[in-house]
Amino acid sequence: MLQFTSQEITRIREKVTNELIEKLIADNFDVLNSETLVPPDARATWNLYYFCPEHGVRLNWDRKSPTTHACPIDNQQFCGEPYDGAWWRWLNTLNSKACYELGLLWQLTQDPKYLSKVKDILLQYAQYYPDYEVHGGIPYNGPGKANAQTLCEANCHLDFARGYDFISDELSDADKHFIEERLLREGAVFLIEHRTDQLHNHEMKINATIGIIGLLLQEKAYLEFALNSKYGLHYQLNKGCLGEGMWFEGSIHYHYYALQALLAYEKVAWNTEYSVSNNPNLKRMLKFPLKLLMTEKYFPRLNDCIAGQEELSHVHIFEFANKLFPNEVFNKALNTIYQTMSRNNLEALLYGDDAYAATEMLSCSSIHAPDAGYTLGYESESKNSYLLKHSPYGGEHDHYDRLGLIIVRNGQEILPDLGTTGYGACLHKQYYKTSSTHNTLVVNQSNQPPINPIVHMYLEQDGYQFVDTEVNWGTKLAEVDSHTIDEWDTEAYTNVRFRRCILWLGDALIELITVHNPDSQRLDLTYHARGQHLLNPSWTAVENTLDGPLSIMKNCHERKSIYEQSLVYRIDGQSDYKQTVVTDSCCDFLVGNAPDNPATSDLAYLLVTSRSPVLNTLVLHDLSESGHYQINDTQWQDNSVTFMVTNNEEQVFFQYDFSSCLLIRNVLHS
């Protein structure tokens, strides 16, 4: 066995609790209590088809119901494809997971029923696997055999291989040869043939699986391919880790997914000459996202992050990370995780430090990461925060929301990033991924083309933070060494320049926005709040005439041809939130409701619409409990703006020169 020495497994047996053994048994109930079922042909497709098309939530998987599938919200039944094929994909996941977890149970208990079940699963897959037809058709992905994409193939083989490692010493030579040649080696060869030449979390998992099989079979060619070839693990780490340590795809979920793959390999290789722990970007990637926490335990749902994946719960990352690189930051991450869950878990058992002691938890803080492309402001007393996204384009898992804004008030997201849902659900591409469903600029209700923003200036002083960023669609589109697909409108955005400055005061956020629109396209400064509009009688009910993602918006009201508007939102569990918009040209204001994520409730949208060749806008987000902030005397010149900020405590004059990037602050009354 490669994963643990005999001394290590003895220590693990001494530490394991009955509770943890019972949990492993319960987690594998369907496999343990049913006859082993393996697809006899290539019928399994994609697990991300297994979502309700209306609510965007995962369907209830039932071992006894391969042809009927129920929505957990309203129990609506779905039959046929794509749901049936996704059901079999889920079964493959349960089978492969059982190989690893029941193989571990065999090592922990020496109960032969677990050994027998793992052996049975592996032998059946080895029987069928060489004859599975190559099939696919999943967007952006290579094909599979047991499954419909190369990533899924790697996921299953990773657990097949680790489960095999747990039981191989108990197998006959004939059975070992059968499994190694017809399943593991066939799988590695397939993955080598279909690994894509790109930076991607998929390729991290594919490399990791090839590397583990290479270690088990002592196949140096597999290891060389997985580790040192172009697009191997070291190449992915060296090219895919941006600046301060963010994975280039820009999704917290996929950042940790890439690390999960890498650490799955490292858990087998870390005491060998094939360890990757000497690559400095590994530690950098482990640390950086922890700086993006916007509340005590939750990340923003940046880019492709399915609802629920934003919680800091990654024991599979940080127990082993703390073993590889004993570190106060990782200790704090673990302590934060264990505030709401027990440490009696598999990762702590296998890799945890016996001397672990609870220390401080992670704390949120303001950061500016120009290379990764995020600026975050945090005020500890009120637990208010914001995040401005100015990251480089990250490929297929990115969203079309450059200079997108998130605001948290009193620990609660009020201007959220929605993330996404299962990729097989129509809401993914038609709604969640679009520019129109983010707090950013939208031109002609179409998606932003990929442009890498620039940061003109960043300043942090006692009492405030200021950042000035810009996207210029008159420049060359961004490129990335990864899958992309053209889902944007280059013509609509041609020569549009969007400059967004954030002045952060802790209990208020002020935006200075200037948009150059030489072709007089339709501009929509778009905001959505997790609350309800409180509208006065000046708003007129209208029909929704929008095209595109927001054509589903309902309860629409508008005010036409105005320069200034205050809006009030009712926020559950908080006092009302106030937003004030001041423009220098006549704009139309449209409000309405469209889906949150999950799509079982609605957000309150605001669109500030203009066709002006130059649109200058100041937006005040009053996060104070009493709503006492006011903006007065806003004056836009050719390259500068002046305005007065008044609250209960002081009156402050601000001037910002866009040419020299000079901010002047003058307290007039305190």
Side-chain angles (χ1 to χ4, degrees):
M1 180 170 58
L2 291 182
Q3 292 171 81
F4 303 103
T5 65
S6 58
Q7 292 82 5
E8 286 171 335
I9 203 66
T10 297
R11 180 185 61 81
I12 291 168
R13 287 173 185 158
E14 292 170 350
K15 287 173 53 182
V16 69
T17 64
N18 289 332
E19 181 184 355
L20 187 51
I21 288 176
E22 291 302 316
K23 184 178 186 307
L24 283 168
I25 294 170
D27 287 349
N28 292 276
F29 178 86
D30 285 323
V31 175
L32 276 171
N33 292 278
S34 306
E35 182 180 354
T36 299
L37 178 63
V38 170
D41 51 39
R43 63 183 64 184
T45 57
W46 196 27
N47 54 324
L48 289 176
Y49 285 142
Y50 213 65
F51 278 75
C52 172
E54 179 181 354
H55 300 107
V57 296
R58 195 182 297 275
L59 302 178
N60 289 327
W61 190 89
D62 185 345
R63 169 68 172 78
K64 299 176 182 178
S65 183
T67 58
T68 306
H69 321 279
C71 172
I73 303 298
D74 59 6
N75 203 40
Q76 182 178 352
Q77 304 293 302
F78 297 91
C79 301
E81 296 299 341
Y83 310 106
D84 291 356
W87 186 95
W88 284 94
R89 170 66 186 93
W90 193 294
L91 178 73
N92 281 340
T93 294
L94 293 183
N95 283 339
S96 59
K97 180 174 76 74
C99 283
Y100 173 71
E101 293 186 355
L102 298 183
L104 176 61
L105 268 174
W106 152 250
Q107 288 292 339
L108 295 175
T109 67
Q110 298 292 283
D111 187 328
K113 67 184 177 187
Y114 304 127
L115 169 64
S116 177
K117 178 59 77 170
V118 177
K119 175 182 174 182
D120 191 23
I121 293 171
L122 290 172
L123 287 172
Q124 286 203 41
Y125 274 101
Q127 176 185 349
Y128 293 121
Y129 192 79
D131 298 321
Y132 282 149
E133 292 183 5
V134 176
H135 63 295
I138 309 303
Y140 309 116
N141 295 290
K145 291 190 70 179
N147 308 288
Q149 65 166 348
T150 316
L151 172 67
C152 295
E153 213 69 13
N155 278 320
C156 286
H157 274 85
L158 188 147
D159 279 338
F160 288 152
R162 295 192 299 173
Y164 175 75
D165 183 49
F166 281 137
I167 71 161
S168 60
D169 290 342
E170 308 301 320
L171 299 178
S172 68
D173 288 344
D175 284 345
K176 287 169 68 173
H177 181 79
F178 193 74
I179 293 167
E180 288 183 2
E181 295 303 311
R182 293 180 59 87
L183 181 60
L184 300 185
R185 192 177 297 280
E186 285 270 348
V189 169
F190 179 84
L191 293 175
I192 289 171
E193 289 176 351
H194 293 281
R195 189 192 74 183
T196 304
D197 288 346
Q198 64 165 348
L199 297 174
H200 206 284
N201 69 84
H202 288 195
E203 316 321 318
M204 290 284 264
K205 181 62 70 74
I206 293 165
N207 284 319
T209 302
I210 296 167
I212 290 172
I213 294 174
L215 289 167
L216 289 175
L217 302 185
Q218 299 182 4
E219 185 63 72
K220 290 186 177 181
Y222 295 175
L223 286 159
E224 182 64 24
F225 180 86
L227 270 63
N228 299 319
S229 66
K230 189 175 183 181
Y231 301 106
L233 287 177
H234 283 294
Y235 187 91
Q236 297 283 335
L237 271 173
N238 294 338
K239 303 292 186 179
C241 176
L242 299 181
E244 296 84 1
M246 187 70 188
W247 181 244
F248 80 99
E249 291 178 275
S251 161
I252 300 293
H253 167 64
Y254 282 112
H255 183 106
Y256 282 123
Y257 192 80
L259 279 174
Q260 177 191 10
L262 191 62
L263 293 187
Y265 169 80
E266 189 64 15
K267 287 170 183 176
V268 182
W270 75 294
N271 277 325
T272 75
E273 62 183 296
Y274 300 105
S275 168
V276 296
S277 60
N278 61 342
N279 191 311
N281 281 345
L282 172 56
K283 190 173 182 180
R284 191 174 290 122
M285 281 185 65
L286 286 165
K287 282 186 171 183
F288 177 73
L290 298 173
K291 297 179 180 179
L292 297 181
L293 288 169
M294 297 190 72
T295 64
E296 291 178 350
K297 202 177 176 182
Y298 290 90
F299 299 104
R301 290 185 197 170
L302 298 163
N303 296 342
D304 279 355
C305 177
I306 294 174
Q309 294 174 336
E310 72 273 21
E311 182 178 2
L312 175 60
S313 58
H314 306 75
V315 293
H316 59 290
I317 299 291
F318 291 108
E319 286 287 6
F320 188 67
N322 208 32
K323 182 184 183 73
L324 270 183
F325 311 111
N327 187 286
E328 182 183 10
V329 173
F330 301 150
N331 213 58
K332 287 182 178 181
L334 289 170
N335 195 39
T336 302
I337 293 169
Y338 291 135
Q339 296 301 303
T340 54
M341 66 178 287
S342 168
R343 195 169 180 247
N344 187 23
N345 62 70
L346 195 59
E347 296 297 320
L349 170 69
L350 299 180
Y351 308 108
D353 182 356
D354 293 342
Y356 164 83
T359 59
E360 300 175 27
M361 293 194 296
L362 292 169
S363 57
C364 304
S365 61
S366 297
I367 70 158
H368 177 58
D371 295 324
Y374 304 100
T375 299
L376 188 152
Y378 182 78
E379 206 284 312
S380 59
E381 184 174 346
S382 63
K383 296 184 180 178
N384 296 335
S385 60
Y386 83 93
L387 183 139
L388 180 65
K389 174 184 173 182
H390 46 87
S391 57
Y393 177 58
E396 63 156 314
H397 288 301
D398 208 334
H399 286 190
Y400 310 111
D401 66 327
R402 283 311 172 273
L403 308 190
L405 179 66
I406 303 169
I407 298 180
V408 170
R409 183 185 189 218
N410 194 21
Q412 180 178 338
E413 247 183 3
I414 60 168
L415 260 67
D417 188 317
L418 302 181
T420 194
T421 184
Y423 302 158
C426 60
L427 284 170
H428 166 57
K429 280 193 178 182
Q430 295 177 16
Y431 185 75
Y432 292 121
K433 200 176 178 74
T434 67
S435 299
S436 299
T437 56
H438 292 81
N439 300 304
T440 188
L441 172 72
V442 185
V443 179
N444 292 350
Q445 284 297 298
S446 62
N447 287 336
Q448 297 176 357
I451 290 287
N452 294 338
I454 59 175
V455 177
H456 290 292
M457 192 269 273
Y458 175 76
L459 177 67
E460 188 168 1
Q461 299 284 352
D462 185 25
Y464 69 96
Q465 181 190 44
F466 187 83
V467 59
D468 176 356
T469 57
E470 182 178 0
V471 175
N472 183 353
W473 283 286
T475 60
K476 183 181 177 182
L477 296 188
E479 296 179 351
V480 62
D481 189 7
S482 188
H483 277 314
T484 59
I485 186 169
D486 186 337
E487 296 175 320
W488 49 80
D489 189 338
T490 303
E491 183 178 355
Y493 286 81
T494 298
N495 297 322
V496 173
R497 288 167 51 202
F498 173 34
R499 193 158 177 177
R500 190 176 215 168
C501 305
I502 302 295
L503 174 61
W504 172 246
L505 303 177
D507 57 354
L509 182 147
I510 299 168
E511 300 180 66
L512 309 177
I513 295 173
T514 180
V515 183
H516 291 268
N517 181 29
D519 298 323
S520 297
Q521 307 279 27
R522 173 184 170 132
L523 306 176
D524 287 300
L525 294 175
T526 304
Y527 299 90
H528 55 226
R530 193 161 277 147
Q532 296 84 43
H533 288 295
L534 299 178
L535 300 179
N536 62 39
S538 65
W539 292 85
T540 302
V542 295
E543 293 295 322
N544 182 355
T545 59
L546 293 171
D547 295 324
L550 293 186
S551 62
I552 62 175
M553 194 164 69
K554 56 192 178 183
N555 302 325
C556 294
H557 291 73
E558 72 175 5
R559 290 198 70 202
K560 295 184 74 69
S561 302
I562 58 176
Y563 290 86
E564 181 172 347
Q565 179 66 49
S566 290
L567 297 101
V568 180
Y569 302 82
R570 177 170 292 140
I571 306 294
D572 289 345
Q574 296 189 7
S575 61
D576 294 344
Y577 151 61
K578 184 178 178 182
Q579 187 181 55
T580 301
V581 182
V582 182
T583 72
D584 73 340
S585 58
C586 210
C587 293
D588 296 338
F589 285 65
L590 176 69
V591 299
N593 301 108
D596 199 343
N597 189 9
T600 52
S601 61
D602 284 339
L603 300 163
Y605 271 84
L606 164 67
L607 278 65
V608 181
T609 303
S610 172
R611 289 184 178 270
S612 174
V614 177
L615 174 63
N616 295 314
T617 308
L618 185 150
V619 185
L620 165 66
H621 303 270
D622 189 344
L623 308 180
S624 65
E625 289 296 318
S626 57
H628 57 249
Y629 273 90
Q630 291 184 347
I631 292 291
N632 303 107
D633 301 329
T634 303
Q635 305 243 348
W636 292 88
Q637 290 81 39
D638 287 343
N639 289 302
S640 66
V641 61
T642 60
F643 56 96
M644 198 82 68
V645 180
T646 305
N647 63 24
N648 289 340
E649 299 174 354
E650 63 182 11
Q651 187 177 57
V652 184
F653 170 85
F654 286 94
Q655 179 178 19
Y656 186 61
D657 188 301
F658 290 93
S659 297
S660 62
C661 298
L662 177 64
L663 179 69
I664 296 173
R665 176 179 181 267
N666 187 10
V667 179
L668 301 180
H669 174 72
S670 179

